[in-house]
Amino acid sequence: MRTYLLLLSLVALAASAAGCCSIGLGSCKTTDKLTFIGSTDLNSCTDSQSHAVSVRVYYLTKPHTFEEADFESLWWEEDTVFADGSRLDMHPLKVYPGSHESHPLTRPAGATHLGLVANFCDLETTRCWRTAIPLEGGGLKQTITLEQTCLAVE
């Protein structure tokens, strides 16, 4: 009985030290931590007041479809755009002027890229409303700053 308890304790210790998935006792879930910073003049196009921006975070199997689509298609016809199955998941959120918020997101299996789209008030003159970030092993810790009408990855 003592040997059994000792063995059980050692297995529990190994599982907590190495992570359950590395010894086959559970599934590994990678968490990505995205920190969004909204500038004080965020989304202030037609007046001097700042406004919140809607942002979509996509988990992708490949970035090409995402990078080639225009804004209107991504925002309003995403099921058609991603008919190739390259979108695994999508998380909508809002970024407010002067805000600094972190969002932990669970990465779906098979994701190779993170796609970000921001619905700024002036999409005709800005070229930085979208970006794709490659994902590697381990959790991503990324800061994304939203300037007046521009998405910047730091």
PDB file of all heavy atoms in Angstrom, residues 4 7 12-13 18 28 32 34 37 39 44 54 58 67-68 75 80 85 90 93 95 131-132 138-139 146 148:
ATOM      1  N   TYR A   4       2.285   1.906  -3.383  1.00  0.00           N
ATOM      2  CA  TYR A   4       1.265   2.426  -4.281  1.00  0.00           C
ATOM      3  C   TYR A   4       1.075   3.928  -4.056  1.00  0.00           C
ATOM      4  O   TYR A   4       1.015   4.711  -5.005  1.00  0.00           O
ATOM      5  CB  TYR A   4      -0.050   1.675  -4.075  1.00  0.00           C
ATOM      6  CG  TYR A   4      -1.172   2.233  -4.904  1.00  0.00           C
ATOM      7  CD1 TYR A   4      -1.228   2.012  -6.278  1.00  0.00           C
ATOM      8  CD2 TYR A   4      -2.183   2.990  -4.306  1.00  0.00           C
ATOM      9  CE1 TYR A   4      -2.261   2.542  -7.038  1.00  0.00           C
ATOM     10  CE2 TYR A   4      -3.203   3.525  -5.059  1.00  0.00           C
ATOM     11  CZ  TYR A   4      -3.246   3.302  -6.431  1.00  0.00           C
ATOM     12  OH  TYR A   4      -4.260   3.822  -7.176  1.00  0.00           O
ATOM     13  N   LEU A   7       4.115   5.808  -5.345  1.00  0.00           N
ATOM     14  CA  LEU A   7       4.073   5.857  -6.805  1.00  0.00           C
ATOM     15  C   LEU A   7       3.043   6.874  -7.285  1.00  0.00           C
ATOM     16  O   LEU A   7       3.309   7.666  -8.190  1.00  0.00           O
ATOM     17  CB  LEU A   7       3.754   4.470  -7.367  1.00  0.00           C
ATOM     18  CG  LEU A   7       3.715   4.355  -8.884  1.00  0.00           C
ATOM     19  CD1 LEU A   7       5.082   4.705  -9.477  1.00  0.00           C
ATOM     20  CD2 LEU A   7       3.319   2.959  -9.293  1.00  0.00           C
ATOM     21  N   ALA A  12       1.795  12.254  -9.580  1.00  0.00           N
ATOM     22  CA  ALA A  12       1.162  13.563  -9.424  1.00  0.00           C
ATOM     23  C   ALA A  12       2.187  14.681  -9.469  1.00  0.00           C
ATOM     24  O   ALA A  12       1.975  15.721 -10.095  1.00  0.00           O
ATOM     25  CB  ALA A  12       0.370  13.604  -8.118  1.00  0.00           C
ATOM     26  N   LEU A  13       3.318  14.483  -8.831  1.00  0.00           N
ATOM     27  CA  LEU A  13       4.385  15.474  -8.840  1.00  0.00           C
ATOM     28  C   LEU A  13       4.935  15.667 -10.244  1.00  0.00           C
ATOM     29  O   LEU A  13       5.130  16.791 -10.698  1.00  0.00           O
ATOM     30  CB  LEU A  13       5.508  15.059  -7.876  1.00  0.00           C
ATOM     31  CG  LEU A  13       6.689  16.025  -7.765  1.00  0.00           C
ATOM     32  CD1 LEU A  13       6.209  17.373  -7.234  1.00  0.00           C
ATOM     33  CD2 LEU A  13       7.760  15.447  -6.876  1.00  0.00           C
ATOM     34  N   ALA A  18       5.783  18.740 -15.083  1.00  0.00           N
ATOM     35  CA  ALA A  18       5.996  18.665 -16.523  1.00  0.00           C
ATOM     36  C   ALA A  18       4.774  19.079 -17.321  1.00  0.00           C
ATOM     37  O   ALA A  18       4.861  19.286 -18.515  1.00  0.00           O
ATOM     38  CB  ALA A  18       6.386  17.239 -16.908  1.00  0.00           C
ATOM     39  N   CYS A  28      -3.106  19.403 -23.725  1.00  0.00           N
ATOM     40  CA  CYS A  28      -2.391  20.673 -23.618  1.00  0.00           C
ATOM     41  C   CYS A  28      -3.234  21.753 -24.255  1.00  0.00           C
ATOM     42  O   CYS A  28      -3.708  21.589 -25.368  1.00  0.00           O
ATOM     43  CB  CYS A  28      -1.061  20.612 -24.369  1.00  0.00           C
ATOM     44  SG  CYS A  28       0.194  19.701 -23.503  1.00  0.00           S
ATOM     45  N   ASP A  32      -2.837  32.238 -25.332  1.00  0.00           N
ATOM     46  CA  ASP A  32      -2.173  33.423 -25.849  1.00  0.00           C
ATOM     47  C   ASP A  32      -2.695  34.631 -25.086  1.00  0.00           C
ATOM     48  O   ASP A  32      -3.908  34.749 -24.859  1.00  0.00           O
ATOM     49  CB  ASP A  32      -2.461  33.594 -27.349  1.00  0.00           C
ATOM     50  CG  ASP A  32      -1.918  32.422 -28.153  1.00  0.00           C
ATOM     51  OD1 ASP A  32      -0.752  32.054 -27.945  1.00  0.00           O
ATOM     52  OD2 ASP A  32      -2.661  31.885 -28.991  1.00  0.00           O
ATOM     53  N   LEU A  34      -3.091  38.511 -25.205  1.00  0.00           N
ATOM     54  CA  LEU A  34      -3.047  39.695 -26.046  1.00  0.00           C
ATOM     55  C   LEU A  34      -3.407  40.907 -25.206  1.00  0.00           C
ATOM     56  O   LEU A  34      -4.437  40.926 -24.535  1.00  0.00           O
ATOM     57  CB  LEU A  34      -4.026  39.575 -27.211  1.00  0.00           C
ATOM     58  CG  LEU A  34      -3.872  38.345 -28.088  1.00  0.00           C
ATOM     59  CD1 LEU A  34      -4.921  38.343 -29.186  1.00  0.00           C
ATOM     60  CD2 LEU A  34      -2.483  38.277 -28.683  1.00  0.00           C
ATOM     61  N   ILE A  37      -3.922  48.195 -26.289  1.00  0.00           N
ATOM     62  CA  ILE A  37      -3.798  49.548 -25.761  1.00  0.00           C
ATOM     63  C   ILE A  37      -4.483  50.494 -26.739  1.00  0.00           C
ATOM     64  O   ILE A  37      -4.148  50.516 -27.932  1.00  0.00           O
ATOM     65  CB  ILE A  37      -2.323  49.954 -25.586  1.00  0.00           C
ATOM     66  CG1 ILE A  37      -1.627  49.003 -24.611  1.00  0.00           C
ATOM     67  CG2 ILE A  37      -2.215  51.406 -25.123  1.00  0.00           C
ATOM     68  CD1 ILE A  37      -0.130  49.199 -24.515  1.00  0.00           C
ATOM     69  N   SER A  39      -5.154  54.304 -27.883  1.00  0.00           N
ATOM     70  CA  SER A  39      -4.620  55.657 -27.714  1.00  0.00           C
ATOM     71  C   SER A  39      -5.746  56.607 -27.317  1.00  0.00           C
ATOM     72  O   SER A  39      -6.927  56.314 -27.506  1.00  0.00           O
ATOM     73  CB  SER A  39      -3.952  56.140 -29.004  1.00  0.00           C
ATOM     74  OG  SER A  39      -4.914  56.323 -30.018  1.00  0.00           O
ATOM     75  N   SER A  44     -10.766  58.910 -33.997  1.00  0.00           N
ATOM     76  CA  SER A  44     -11.315  60.281 -34.023  1.00  0.00           C
ATOM     77  C   SER A  44     -11.154  60.855 -35.432  1.00  0.00           C
ATOM     78  O   SER A  44     -10.265  61.643 -35.698  1.00  0.00           O
ATOM     79  CB  SER A  44     -10.611  61.158 -32.991  1.00  0.00           C
ATOM     80  OG  SER A  44      -9.212  61.152 -33.207  1.00  0.00           O
ATOM     81  N   SER A  54     -14.172  48.330 -32.799  1.00  0.00           N
ATOM     82  CA  SER A  54     -14.450  46.896 -32.775  1.00  0.00           C
ATOM     83  C   SER A  54     -13.276  46.170 -33.419  1.00  0.00           C
ATOM     84  O   SER A  54     -12.798  46.574 -34.477  1.00  0.00           O
ATOM     85  CB  SER A  54     -15.732  46.586 -33.543  1.00  0.00           C
ATOM     86  OG  SER A  54     -16.838  47.142 -32.884  1.00  0.00           O
ATOM     87  N   TYR A  58      -8.762  36.496 -35.078  1.00  0.00           N
ATOM     88  CA  TYR A  58      -8.985  35.224 -35.760  1.00  0.00           C
ATOM     89  C   TYR A  58      -7.826  34.274 -35.492  1.00  0.00           C
ATOM     90  O   TYR A  58      -6.661  34.683 -35.542  1.00  0.00           O
ATOM     91  CB  TYR A  58      -9.059  35.417 -37.283  1.00  0.00           C
ATOM     92  CG  TYR A  58     -10.244  36.193 -37.767  1.00  0.00           C
ATOM     93  CD1 TYR A  58     -10.149  37.553 -38.030  1.00  0.00           C
ATOM     94  CD2 TYR A  58     -11.459  35.561 -37.993  1.00  0.00           C
ATOM     95  CE1 TYR A  58     -11.235  38.264 -38.501  1.00  0.00           C
ATOM     96  CE2 TYR A  58     -12.560  36.269 -38.462  1.00  0.00           C
ATOM     97  CZ  TYR A  58     -12.435  37.619 -38.717  1.00  0.00           C
ATOM     98  OH  TYR A  58     -13.512  38.320 -39.181  1.00  0.00           O
ATOM     99  N   GLU A  67      -5.144  37.589 -45.572  1.00  0.00           N
ATOM    100  CA  GLU A  67      -4.351  38.717 -46.058  1.00  0.00           C
ATOM    101  C   GLU A  67      -4.822  39.241 -47.415  1.00  0.00           C
ATOM    102  O   GLU A  67      -4.617  40.406 -47.734  1.00  0.00           O
ATOM    103  CB  GLU A  67      -2.869  38.331 -46.136  1.00  0.00           C
ATOM    104  CG  GLU A  67      -2.266  38.114 -44.773  1.00  0.00           C
ATOM    105  CD  GLU A  67      -0.861  37.536 -44.816  1.00  0.00           C
ATOM    106  OE1 GLU A  67      -0.515  36.843 -45.792  1.00  0.00           O
ATOM    107  OE2 GLU A  67      -0.116  37.775 -43.856  1.00  0.00           O
ATOM    108  N   GLU A  68      -5.462  38.396 -48.202  1.00  0.00           N
ATOM    109  CA  GLU A  68      -5.915  38.796 -49.532  1.00  0.00           C
ATOM    110  C   GLU A  68      -7.319  39.403 -49.548  1.00  0.00           C
ATOM    111  O   GLU A  68      -7.684  40.089 -50.501  1.00  0.00           O
ATOM    112  CB  GLU A  68      -5.869  37.598 -50.489  1.00  0.00           C
ATOM    113  CG  GLU A  68      -4.456  37.090 -50.734  1.00  0.00           C
ATOM    114  CD  GLU A  68      -3.556  38.133 -51.381  1.00  0.00           C
ATOM    115  OE1 GLU A  68      -3.997  38.796 -52.338  1.00  0.00           O
ATOM    116  OE2 GLU A  68      -2.414  38.284 -50.914  1.00  0.00           O
ATOM    117  N   TRP A  75     -15.312  41.620 -42.884  1.00  0.00           N
ATOM    118  CA  TRP A  75     -16.211  42.061 -41.825  1.00  0.00           C
ATOM    119  C   TRP A  75     -17.643  41.564 -42.018  1.00  0.00           C
ATOM    120  O   TRP A  75     -18.299  41.170 -41.064  1.00  0.00           O
ATOM    121  CB  TRP A  75     -16.191  43.584 -41.702  1.00  0.00           C
ATOM    122  CG  TRP A  75     -16.616  44.037 -40.355  1.00  0.00           C
ATOM    123  CD1 TRP A  75     -17.847  44.499 -39.983  1.00  0.00           C
ATOM    124  CD2 TRP A  75     -15.827  44.047 -39.161  1.00  0.00           C
ATOM    125  NE1 TRP A  75     -17.873  44.807 -38.646  1.00  0.00           N
ATOM    126  CE2 TRP A  75     -16.637  44.548 -38.120  1.00  0.00           C
ATOM    127  CE3 TRP A  75     -14.510  43.703 -38.874  1.00  0.00           C
ATOM    128  CZ2 TRP A  75     -16.177  44.694 -36.817  1.00  0.00           C
ATOM    129  CZ3 TRP A  75     -14.062  43.866 -37.578  1.00  0.00           C
ATOM    130  CH2 TRP A  75     -14.889  44.354 -36.567  1.00  0.00           C
ATOM    131  N   THR A  80     -18.079  33.343 -46.156  1.00  0.00           N
ATOM    132  CA  THR A  80     -17.701  33.140 -47.561  1.00  0.00           C
ATOM    133  C   THR A  80     -16.188  33.235 -47.727  1.00  0.00           C
ATOM    134  O   THR A  80     -15.573  32.411 -48.408  1.00  0.00           O
ATOM    135  CB  THR A  80     -18.399  34.177 -48.463  1.00  0.00           C
ATOM    136  OG1 THR A  80     -19.810  34.073 -48.279  1.00  0.00           O
ATOM    137  CG2 THR A  80     -18.053  33.965 -49.923  1.00  0.00           C
ATOM    138  N   GLY A  85     -11.846  26.937 -44.974  1.00  0.00           N
ATOM    139  CA  GLY A  85     -11.589  26.318 -43.671  1.00  0.00           C
ATOM    140  C   GLY A  85     -10.393  26.874 -42.932  1.00  0.00           C
ATOM    141  O   GLY A  85      -9.985  26.324 -41.911  1.00  0.00           O
ATOM    142  N   MET A  90     -12.885  32.791 -33.884  1.00  0.00           N
ATOM    143  CA  MET A  90     -12.902  34.247 -33.940  1.00  0.00           C
ATOM    144  C   MET A  90     -13.409  34.780 -32.607  1.00  0.00           C
ATOM    145  O   MET A  90     -14.360  34.253 -32.030  1.00  0.00           O
ATOM    146  CB  MET A  90     -13.809  34.722 -35.079  1.00  0.00           C
ATOM    147  CG  MET A  90     -13.715  36.223 -35.354  1.00  0.00           C
ATOM    148  SD  MET A  90     -14.810  37.263 -34.376  1.00  0.00           S
ATOM    149  CE  MET A  90     -16.406  36.886 -35.071  1.00  0.00           C
ATOM    150  N   LEU A  93     -14.028  41.814 -29.877  1.00  0.00           N
ATOM    151  CA  LEU A  93     -13.835  42.632 -28.683  1.00  0.00           C
ATOM    152  C   LEU A  93     -13.851  44.097 -29.061  1.00  0.00           C
ATOM    153  O   LEU A  93     -13.824  44.440 -30.239  1.00  0.00           O
ATOM    154  CB  LEU A  93     -12.560  42.248 -27.950  1.00  0.00           C
ATOM    155  CG  LEU A  93     -11.248  42.242 -28.728  1.00  0.00           C
ATOM    156  CD1 LEU A  93     -10.487  43.527 -28.519  1.00  0.00           C
ATOM    157  CD2 LEU A  93     -10.411  41.076 -28.247  1.00  0.00           C
ATOM    158  N   VAL A  95     -12.023  47.934 -28.188  1.00  0.00           N
ATOM    159  CA  VAL A  95     -10.918  48.645 -27.567  1.00  0.00           C
ATOM    160  C   VAL A  95     -11.364  50.097 -27.412  1.00  0.00           C
ATOM    161  O   VAL A  95     -11.825  50.723 -28.371  1.00  0.00           O
ATOM    162  CB  VAL A  95      -9.630  48.548 -28.421  1.00  0.00           C
ATOM    163  CG1 VAL A  95      -8.515  49.361 -27.789  1.00  0.00           C
ATOM    164  CG2 VAL A  95      -9.220  47.087 -28.589  1.00  0.00           C
ATOM    165  N   THR A 131      -3.607  42.807 -39.541  1.00  0.00           N
ATOM    166  CA  THR A 131      -2.268  42.227 -39.453  1.00  0.00           C
ATOM    167  C   THR A 131      -2.392  40.739 -39.138  1.00  0.00           C
ATOM    168  O   THR A 131      -3.383  40.310 -38.547  1.00  0.00           O
ATOM    169  CB  THR A 131      -1.394  42.938 -38.393  1.00  0.00           C
ATOM    170  OG1 THR A 131      -0.044  42.516 -38.528  1.00  0.00           O
ATOM    171  CG2 THR A 131      -1.873  42.672 -36.980  1.00  0.00           C
ATOM    172  N   ALA A 132      -1.402  39.984 -39.567  1.00  0.00           N
ATOM    173  CA  ALA A 132      -1.327  38.554 -39.259  1.00  0.00           C
ATOM    174  C   ALA A 132      -0.032  38.299 -38.502  1.00  0.00           C
ATOM    175  O   ALA A 132       1.026  38.798 -38.883  1.00  0.00           O
ATOM    176  CB  ALA A 132      -1.374  37.720 -40.535  1.00  0.00           C
ATOM    177  N   GLY A 138       4.337  27.299 -27.634  1.00  0.00           N
ATOM    178  CA  GLY A 138       4.197  28.086 -26.408  1.00  0.00           C
ATOM    179  C   GLY A 138       3.211  29.215 -26.611  1.00  0.00           C
ATOM    180  O   GLY A 138       2.845  29.547 -27.728  1.00  0.00           O
ATOM    181  N   GLY A 139       2.779  29.805 -25.528  1.00  0.00           N
ATOM    182  CA  GLY A 139       1.804  30.882 -25.598  1.00  0.00           C
ATOM    183  C   GLY A 139       2.412  32.191 -26.085  1.00  0.00           C
ATOM    184  O   GLY A 139       3.524  32.540 -25.727  1.00  0.00           O
ATOM    185  N   LEU A 146      -3.620  50.401 -30.660  1.00  0.00           N
ATOM    186  CA  LEU A 146      -4.499  51.003 -31.645  1.00  0.00           C
ATOM    187  C   LEU A 146      -4.332  52.508 -31.550  1.00  0.00           C
ATOM    188  O   LEU A 146      -4.701  53.124 -30.548  1.00  0.00           O
ATOM    189  CB  LEU A 146      -5.954  50.584 -31.419  1.00  0.00           C
ATOM    190  CG  LEU A 146      -6.262  49.176 -31.901  1.00  0.00           C
ATOM    191  CD1 LEU A 146      -5.812  48.139 -30.896  1.00  0.00           C
ATOM    192  CD2 LEU A 146      -7.722  49.025 -32.205  1.00  0.00           C
ATOM    193  N   GLN A 148      -4.740  56.333 -33.702  1.00  0.00           N
ATOM    194  CA  GLN A 148      -5.935  57.013 -34.179  1.00  0.00           C
ATOM    195  C   GLN A 148      -6.721  56.138 -35.152  1.00  0.00           C
ATOM    196  O   GLN A 148      -7.888  55.854 -34.948  1.00  0.00           O
ATOM    197  CB  GLN A 148      -5.579  58.342 -34.837  1.00  0.00           C
ATOM    198  CG  GLN A 148      -6.805  59.110 -35.261  1.00  0.00           C
ATOM    199  CD  GLN A 148      -6.470  60.449 -35.852  1.00  0.00           C
ATOM    200  OE1 GLN A 148      -5.320  60.790 -36.060  1.00  0.00           O
ATOM    201  NE2 GLN A 148      -7.483  61.233 -36.115  1.00  0.00           N
TER     202      GLN A 148
END
